[in-house]
Amino acid sequence: MAKYVFDFSEGNRDLKDLLGGKGANLAEMTNLGLPVPPGFTITTETCRTYMTTGTLPPELRVQVTMALRGLEDALGRMLGDPQDPLLVSVRSGAKFSMPGMMETVLNVGLNDASVHGLARFAGDERFAWDSYRRLIQMFGKTVLDIDGELFSDALDAAKQAHGAVADTDLPAEALHALVDEFKDIVRRESGREFPQHPREQLDLAIEAVFNSWNTERARLYRRRERISDDLGTAVNIVAMVFGNLGDDSGTGVCFTRDPATGMTGDYGDYLPNAQGEDVVAGIRNTLSLEDFEKLDPEAYGELKQVMRRLETHYRDLCDIEFTVERGKLWMLQTRVGKRTAAAAFRIAKQLVDEHIITLDEALERVTGEQLSKLMFPQFDAGAETTLLAKGMAASPGAAVGAAVFSSATAQEWAAQGKKVILVRRETNPDDLGGMIASVGVLTSRGGKTSHAAVVARGMGTTCVVGAEALQVDVHARRLTVNGTVVSEGDVIAIDGTSGDIFLGDVPVVSSPVVHYLEDGLEATLETIGDDLETRELVEAVDAILSHADAARTLGVYANADTPDDAHRARSLGGEGIGLCRTEHMFLGDRRVLIERLILAKDDDAQQAALDALLPLQREDFVGLLEQMDGLPVTIRLIDPPLHEFLPDFTELSVKVALAKERGESGPEVERDVELLAAVDRHREANPMLGLRGVRLGIVIPGLFALQMRAIAQAQAARIKAGGDPHAEIMIPLAASIMELHLVKDEADRILAEVAAEEGVEFEIPVGAMVELPRAALTADRMADVAEFFSFGTNDLTQTTWGFSRDDVEGAFFTEYTEHGVFSVSPFESIDTQGVGRLVRIAAKEGRESRPDLRLGVCGEHGGDPESIHFFHEVGLDYVSCSPFRIPIARLEAGRAAVTTGGGDTR
């Protein structure tokens, strides 16, 4: 019989696939002898079976009974017993943390009888009725799918009727009446009574948690975080401990280091006389751990010891949930904590310096995307600003946008291209869509462990929480602070590093990490001065990125078309140019020269047009080779179809027709008529699969010859100037070895001619851009001619999937993602099973034919972290990406070298 239930004593932290992160870590803490309430975990396998069959395994009920009886025997109490009731919590727990996305039900086992037993146990009527109303509220919303606002409104009405500011101010008789009102809501909205049998409550709660795996917000979160829908969640049943038993009780969340900045110290939130969900929900502003120490020095001291022990055991920042029940500390959860980009680098470097992890491990714990976030601009400290208020800095960054007060508005305005900041009293899981759409999140309630803070940090979104001075009116769609009113649509700015909130726009400046990447460590530290936090960050980035450079085997080149691009690429650590797109050199003022080439009526006119282009192209290439002196510069011959260099057919047709109607004449009109005929000749139904790339060079004599001669002359000029140029010629869109032969033979002839004319010797390799499936599948033959391959994964993805990128991404990619056709766009991260397999085949068979064949990639995937790990595994020599992504590629190439399969980046 399959085992679906594991006692905490049977698990460990290595069983996250089976027990989920929460269950595995509860088991680990139990094994460490920490004060964990007893309980058991229902496996993720159970959830997967439920999702597949629609029913829970028949053995599950029996196994839950056995585990529950063991729990009852250990504690000497029975679930829902009227005299001395055992109560349990039912919590979700997937392999990867999904904060607030799935369901929790507390106080399961309470009913009309056991509430009196709980009151006797606690010696507190108010506590018992408060716990019962919490159960009905959670159960009604989570299990019975009743609108949670109905319960919240009833609670608010009760507080108003009794003059209570917080729910903790409500007396026992008011809570008793509220329980009756909540049961009426359940009866009215669900058509059934609130279940009184404790086991029925438990079974329904378990099923509800499994169902919460597939809620819209959970699916949305998984899509964003690239978590598989097939993993499922575990369910943890844990004996209740109570933080709402009075002033000597409470609940909290803490971190062993600051998850926002990475600075050392103890960080967290504590709420006296509260249950855990109150902290996460952010409905009451929390106390600091320093305040907790003053309230309960003994429990705080024990917590400090546990925090140190867990960080040492996990060798990482730990996120810990705890409850104090009448002075007794209980550990409810721990996990490796989510952190901001800055914190990730600082903490990794700190742990290396403390000899807790190695540099290889530090490199595994940061990601290229985190580095990219550190390169974002920051607010200009010298700018004039209007400070509205100050909150808690929850997730760093500089965000400027229109204030919006609902998730729906945030999504609607963002879809229109507007930058928005979502403003709420507190966020809840239903706000996820709006949080994703917003450039920043601002709340007036909550602390650093509230829903808004945790989710925003995980997404890398700028966030400020707990700005108590803000009076947020979501119904009127405005906030008020010190007499200033900010209405929906007004621009505000938030600083997630300082917690400052500004009225109006605030200018931004470059990040210190960008200064470091461009100018080096020493110069940047001089600029920073005594700012310890920034110095530590830059030094951490330097240490880890330097180690990545030492560890990686992949070269990192740039896609660059101008000397300025090349200069920036080199300053950011680029080791060459992997793609120079020459077609960009024919735009602007030079477009007329291409028109002359197309309109040429004889060989002399065509040669004249080519002669006019030659010196311009030569100087283009001289500039690139000068900036990249000593490094390879791969120049792709002209690739796009000619229509991209010609006027729009419709616009030109209208222009010619109007001129004819008006009886206009003259050289310009005659030229337009000729040009229209040429445009019509070159029109294609599907130009991206038509006359372009190598086909263009074969069909239009002299075009490729012009470019190859310009490249050779530029190489010679740089050699004569004392330089060390390394130009390479790349043939685009080749699918046949004969296409390569035709161009390569012409290249060999031209290169020899130029070398003789200039009186210098040089070698310029000629290679192929592999961007068609046929080229990949015949790579063994193509390598007989090509001296290198560069995979053009943009076009290779289009031609493998049969997608026209410009058409499909906006047309149906959202639906494809929602339906699971792919979890991420294949243009964003390489499709390893399809496109990747073609790359793998071409790399293997190409090198079998030519062992010294150099292999690179120059599509946008060259800067994508996940794709870089794949290219490392396949054995490519280099990746090429946009200059700004070079540091990210360097880091990820290093991570790929020290990890197996790329590691876990979540």
Side-chain angles (χ1 to χ4, degrees):
M1 182 172 67
K3 184 175 174 63
Y4 293 111
V5 177
F6 285 73
D7 187 83
F8 289 166
S9 62
E10 298 177 291
N12 60 65
R13 67 175 177 176
D14 296 325
L15 295 180
K16 289 182 181 178
D17 285 332
L18 184 66
L19 303 179
K22 186 175 296 182
N25 288 322
L26 282 168
E28 189 75 8
M29 288 196 294
T30 299
N31 296 334
L32 287 172
L34 298 179
V36 177
F40 54 91
T41 300
I42 303 173
T43 64
T44 57
E45 183 183 345
T46 315
C47 184
R48 289 190 291 272
T49 300
Y50 179 61
M51 288 189 295
T52 302
T53 65
T55 58
L56 292 168
E59 306 96 326
L60 179 64
R61 187 172 177 83
V62 173
Q63 293 185 26
V64 168
T65 298
M66 295 299 101
L68 182 60
R69 287 199 172 192
L71 185 60
E72 291 172 333
D73 292 344
L75 294 175
R77 289 180 281 156
M78 295 181 64
L79 183 69
D81 180 71
Q83 302 304 315
D84 186 10
L86 166 67
L87 305 182
V88 297
S89 63
V90 181
R91 299 175 181 266
S92 62
K95 177 181 179 180
F96 298 113
S97 175
M98 296 172 55
M101 296 303 111
M102 292 183 290
E103 302 296 0
T104 293
V105 184
L106 304 180
N107 305 325
V108 170
L110 271 179
N111 55 28
D112 292 349
S114 60
V115 66
H116 299 290
L118 182 64
R120 284 191 295 272
F121 156 77
D124 188 340
E125 286 275 338
R126 190 207 168 278
F127 155 74
W129 288 105
D130 182 47
S131 299
Y132 195 13
R133 71 91 186 163
R134 288 172 183 268
L135 168 63
I136 301 172
Q137 185 169 358
M138 282 187 176
F139 195 95
K141 183 175 184 293
T142 298
V143 180
L144 302 178
D145 200 26
I146 297 171
D147 183 358
E149 290 297 318
L150 297 173
F151 298 107
S152 298
D153 290 346
L155 177 59
D156 288 342
K159 288 192 290 187
Q160 186 174 2
H162 287 80
V165 176
D167 52 4
T168 51
D169 299 326
L170 285 173
E173 59 272 17
L175 291 166
H176 189 165
L178 194 59
V179 163
D180 291 336
E181 188 172 354
F182 278 9
K183 286 194 290 185
D184 287 341
I185 292 173
V186 168
R187 185 183 309 111
R188 183 175 67 249
E189 297 297 322
S190 70
R192 63 158 296 168
E193 298 289 338
F194 177 76
Q196 292 294 306
H197 197 291
R199 183 56 190 269
E200 183 184 6
Q201 293 177 10
L202 179 61
D203 290 341
L204 289 173
I206 290 170
E207 191 167 0
V209 171
F210 282 140
N211 284 330
S212 71
W213 173 257
N214 275 327
T215 60
E216 178 57 33
R217 67 175 186 244
R219 290 197 300 269
L220 177 61
Y221 185 87
R222 289 197 296 274
R223 283 198 299 272
R224 180 179 176 86
E225 298 297 316
R226 301 187 188 178
I227 299 172
S228 171
D229 285 333
D230 299 330
L231 296 178
T233 182
V235 178
N236 299 286
I237 289 88
V238 190
M240 284 294 303
V241 290
F242 300 99
N244 55 336
L245 272 171
D247 291 338
D248 60 351
S249 304
T251 189
V253 179
C254 60
F255 299 90
T256 54
R257 297 170 195 245
D258 188 345
T261 67
M263 302 300 283
T264 55
D266 305 323
Y267 296 85
D269 299 319
Y270 181 72
L271 265 182
N273 197 18
Q275 288 195 309
E277 296 305 303
D278 297 337
V279 178
V280 176
I283 57 177
R284 288 162 54 193
N285 283 344
T286 55
L287 303 180
S288 67
L289 291 187
E290 289 79 5
D291 296 324
F292 173 44
E293 181 180 16
K294 296 172 185 174
L295 288 173
D296 194 335
E298 186 174 340
Y300 172 80
E302 187 179 355
L303 176 65
K304 284 272 292 180
Q305 292 178 353
V306 170
M307 291 169 68
R308 178 179 171 84
R309 187 173 178 189
L310 285 174
E311 182 175 89
T312 302
H313 184 71
Y314 283 88
R315 300 191 306 134
D316 207 345
L317 161 72
C318 287
D319 172 354
I320 301 165
E321 295 181 17
F322 65 95
T323 282
V324 177
E325 182 184 85
R326 290 181 170 165
K328 166 67 175 172
L329 178 70
W330 291 99
M331 310 309 299
L332 303 185
Q333 180 179 350
T334 191
R335 59 192 170 203
V336 172
K338 290 184 179 292
R339 64 207 74 184
T340 64
F345 277 88
R346 281 202 195 93
I347 291 170
K349 175 67 162 50
Q350 290 164 5
L351 293 175
V352 169
D353 294 342
E354 294 167 19
H355 308 294
I356 293 175
I357 62 174
T358 66
L359 264 172
D360 276 1
E361 290 173 306
L363 183 52
E364 291 182 71
R365 294 191 183 180
V366 297
T367 70
E369 284 308 304
Q370 288 171 331
L371 179 57
S372 74
K373 289 182 173 66
L374 296 181
M375 297 167 68
F376 292 164
Q378 301 175 347
F379 286 139
D380 183 355
E384 290 188 13
T385 58
T386 301
L387 184 67
L388 274 178
K390 193 175 183 69
M392 295 184 197
S395 183
V400 179
V404 296
F405 294 85
S406 75
S407 178
T409 304
Q411 294 174 78
E412 178 186 344
W413 287 21
Q416 298 169 9
K418 299 177 182 178
K419 291 185 176 181
V420 298
I421 294 177
L422 180 62
V423 183
R424 305 284 284 165
R425 283 194 291 264
E426 69 274 338
T427 63
N428 62 59
D430 293 330
D431 288 319
L432 180 63
M435 295 178 73
I436 291 174
S438 302
V439 296
V441 177
L442 171 63
T443 71
S444 60
R445 299 176 182 172
K448 285 191 176 183
T449 59
S450 63
H451 175 269
V454 172
V455 174
R457 262 197 308 272
M459 296 192 303
T461 299
T462 302
C463 181
V464 174
V465 300
E468 294 179 307
L470 304 183
Q471 302 299 313
V472 177
D473 188 337
V474 295
H475 299 295
R477 296 181 178 271
R478 68 186 180 203
L479 68 84
T480 306
V481 53
N482 298 325
T484 300
V485 177
V486 176
S487 300
E488 189 157 82
D490 291 347
V491 173
I492 59 172
I494 61 172
D495 188 333
T497 303
S498 66
D500 289 338
I501 305 154
F502 302 102
L503 180 65
D505 199 353
V506 178
V508 295
V509 294
S510 296
S511 146
V513 171
V514 171
H515 286 307
Y516 152 71
L517 291 167
E518 293 181 336
D519 304 330
L521 181 63
E522 188 173 334
T524 305
L525 292 180
E526 285 183 15
T527 303
I528 292 170
D530 296 331
D531 184 345
L532 178 62
E533 192 172 317
T534 304
R535 290 180 71 91
E536 284 189 4
L537 173 60
V538 170
E539 287 170 344
V541 172
D542 174 68
I544 295 172
L545 190 56
S546 297
H547 185 65
D549 286 335
R552 63 184 167 90
T553 58
L554 274 173
V556 179
Y557 296 4
N559 298 341
D561 308 330
T562 67
D564 286 344
D565 287 344
H567 176 77
R568 182 169 181 80
R570 192 159 192 167
S571 72
L572 291 172
E575 298 163 320
I577 292 178
L579 175 63
C580 167
R581 292 158 289 212
T582 56
E583 57 270 13
H584 291 176
M585 301 170 178
F586 294 129
L587 301 176
D589 294 339
R590 300 185 189 180
R591 186 187 295 267
V592 67
L593 298 177
I594 290 290
E595 293 178 1
R596 284 173 53 191
L597 178 63
I598 295 168
L599 293 175
K601 295 178 180 178
D602 53 43
D603 291 346
D604 290 342
Q606 185 178 68
Q607 189 60 49
L610 292 171
D611 290 344
L613 282 168
L614 179 61
L616 300 174
Q617 278 273 267
R618 181 175 60 241
E619 291 310 306
D620 290 333
F621 300 142
V622 166
L624 284 171
L625 292 171
E626 185 177 6
Q627 288 294 334
M628 282 289 170
D629 196 56
L631 300 176
V633 177
T634 304
I635 301 169
R636 182 181 71 185
L637 301 177
I638 193 166
D639 179 45
L642 288 180
H643 83 274
E644 292 197 8
F645 304 99
L646 298 174
D648 179 75
F649 177 75
T650 302
E651 291 179 4
L652 191 56
S653 297
V654 171
K655 184 179 180 183
V656 169
L658 287 173
K660 183 178 179 180
E661 184 180 336
R662 294 166 182 159
E664 296 174 356
S665 61
E668 184 178 347
V669 173
E670 291 174 8
R671 179 183 172 278
D672 285 344
V673 171
E674 288 183 28
L675 192 56
L676 179 60
V679 172
D680 192 32
R681 268 198 321 274
H682 289 287
R683 278 203 302 163
E684 298 174 286
N686 191 346
M688 297 313 291
L689 291 178
L691 183 60
R692 56 169 288 215
V694 68
R695 305 159 193 170
L696 198 60
I698 293 171
V699 170
I700 299 182
L703 184 57
F704 275 12
L706 151 77
Q707 294 194 291
M708 292 188 289
R709 186 172 297 278
I711 293 168
Q713 289 179 353
Q715 179 99 339
R718 286 298 302 146
I719 292 172
K720 287 181 174 181
D724 182 23
H726 293 273
E728 300 177 348
I729 294 171
M730 182 158 66
I731 304 169
L733 211 73
S736 158
I737 188 173
M738 284 308 300
E739 291 173 321
L740 294 182
H741 269 305
L742 290 169
V743 179
K744 177 71 159 58
D745 291 347
E746 186 175 26
D748 290 343
R749 176 181 60 79
I750 292 170
L751 297 179
E753 286 178 4
V754 173
E757 291 166 0
E758 300 292 338
V760 295
E761 293 183 1
F762 55 77
E763 291 184 5
I764 297 180
V766 179
M769 191 167 180
V770 179
E771 47 192 331
L772 295 173
R774 191 181 192 280
L777 294 172
T778 60
D780 56 336
R781 301 193 64 209
M782 303 283 276
D784 288 340
V785 180
E787 296 172 86
F788 64 88
F789 284 168
S790 182
F791 293 96
T793 51
N794 296 345
D795 274 352
L796 190 57
T797 297
Q798 291 197 99
T799 52
T800 300
W801 278 88
F803 286 156
S804 169
R805 180 175 185 175
D806 292 339
D807 297 321
V808 300
E809 286 194 301
F812 58 81
F813 268 30
T814 300
E815 287 79 4
Y816 263 41
T817 303
E818 289 175 353
H819 292 301
V821 177
F822 37 66
S823 60
V824 62
S825 165
F827 293 108
E828 181 181 339
S829 192
I830 194 162
D831 159 31
T832 57
Q833 294 177 315
V835 178
R837 189 176 180 200
L838 290 173
V839 172
R840 194 185 297 275
I841 290 169
K844 176 178 180 293
E845 297 185 1
R847 279 188 172 148
E848 287 174 353
S849 178
R850 185 189 288 265
D852 63 346
L853 184 70
R854 282 177 58 247
L855 300 172
V857 60
C858 59
E860 290 180 29
H861 298 98
D864 170 62
E866 290 188 17
S867 302
I868 289 169
H869 288 267
F870 172 78
F871 297 136
H872 168 83
E873 187 240 318
V874 170
L876 301 194
D877 294 300
Y878 67 88
V879 296
S880 188
C881 57
S882 67
F884 186 79
R885 298 213 45 101
I886 284 173
I888 291 109
R890 289 165 55 197
L891 186 77
E892 287 295 345
R895 293 184 70 238
V898 302
T899 59
T900 301
D904 172 20
T905 61
R906 294 182 183 87

